[in-house]
Amino acid sequence: MAGGAHATGATQRSRAKETRRQALLSAAASLFAVNGFNRVSLEDLGAAAGVSGPAVYRHFPGKQAVLGALLLSVSQDLLDGGQSVVAAAGDPASALARLVQFHVDFALSNPDVIRVQDRDFSNLSADDQAQVRALQRSYVELWVDVLAGIHSETDTADLRMRAHATFGLINSTPHSVRNHGRRMAIKSARPLLENMALAALTAPA
């Protein structure tokens, strides 16, 4: 019984720590998006997550590490999610449609993270920059492989350009949806984004 109770307690502490870590990452996304990385302090992060500034060090060695964990986790989630989508699809056309849906959902659900990526990538450590770039290249190549099944005669560089252009289209829209006076309902933005992205991706070369 004592051993079981100890294990249960350790598991609960581990879960609580992970919950706090995720709360810090969520707070970081919001604060970095609004104020920029350089204008946010560890005390700001702690306060937003309900802990003291020094308590942040229990989870991260510093503010730069928080930024790294945020962008690395999102990049890994995108790659893992995209791979799952493609694996479940029966053909390239279906895979492409599902990839578009997946990425649109990500963009509409994570506008703060997109803004942080755009503005504060240069504040990552060199190692984290390299890892984020590697994950994102793998994500792009996932799209390129799917596009190759639709545009079999098209050069790989052109397919890669299509993918990047589509990311630009999808990722830029949450900014306008969020920032202009009358916020467009997500239920209206989603089908519009999906249709525009698919039209661009499937247009003749």
Side-chain angles (χ1 to χ4, degrees):
M1 286 290 292
H6 178 76
T8 299
T11 299
Q12 291 174 338
R13 285 192 297 273
S14 178
R15 288 175 180 169
K17 183 175 182 179
E18 180 59 23
T19 297
R20 186 70 68 191
R21 184 178 185 276
Q22 292 302 319
L24 284 165
L25 291 177
S26 178
S30 298
L31 290 173
F32 292 161
V34 172
N35 302 308
F37 173 80
N38 292 319
R39 296 178 61 187
V40 176
S41 67
L42 281 178
E43 287 71 23
D44 295 331
L45 287 175
V51 301
S52 66
V56 177
Y57 287 109
R58 298 175 189 168
H59 306 275
F60 302 99
K63 188 175 71 168
Q64 190 181 48
V66 177
L67 178 64
L70 175 64
L71 295 185
L72 280 167
S73 65
V74 168
S75 299
Q76 187 67 63
D77 287 346
L78 265 178
L79 178 58
D80 292 345
Q83 289 173 336
S84 295
V85 164
V86 172
D91 56 75
S94 175
L96 186 63
R98 293 184 185 185
L99 272 178
V100 168
Q101 291 171 354
F102 169 72
H103 198 93
V104 167
D105 184 64
F106 163 79
L108 293 176
S109 301
N110 298 277
D112 287 341
V113 174
I114 291 173
R115 184 173 301 177
V116 173
Q117 161 78 28
D118 289 346
R119 185 171 58 192
D120 290 316
F121 180 84
S122 62
N123 287 307
L124 290 171
S125 68
D127 285 346
D128 284 346
Q129 285 189 25
Q131 289 185 59
V132 169
R133 285 196 179 106
L135 289 168
Q136 292 178 350
R137 279 195 298 269
S138 295
Y139 183 62
V140 171
E141 293 310 306
L142 182 70
W143 283 67
V144 170
D145 289 344
V146 171
L147 285 168
I150 296 173
H151 302 283
S152 58
E153 303 300 320
T154 303
D155 184 77
T156 299
D158 291 343
L159 298 179
R160 194 172 291 117
M161 182 179 68
R162 284 185 187 238
H164 280 294
T166 301
F167 297 156
L169 165 68
I170 297 174
N171 290 349
S172 67
T173 304
H175 299 308
S176 59
V177 167
R178 178 173 182 171
N179 290 333
H180 288 86
R182 182 182 177 189
R183 181 168 182 172
M184 181 188 298
I186 287 180
K187 67 179 181 180
S188 299
R190 187 186 305 279
L192 178 61
L193 277 175
E194 291 176 0
N195 289 335
M196 290 176 68
L198 278 175
L201 290 165
T202 57

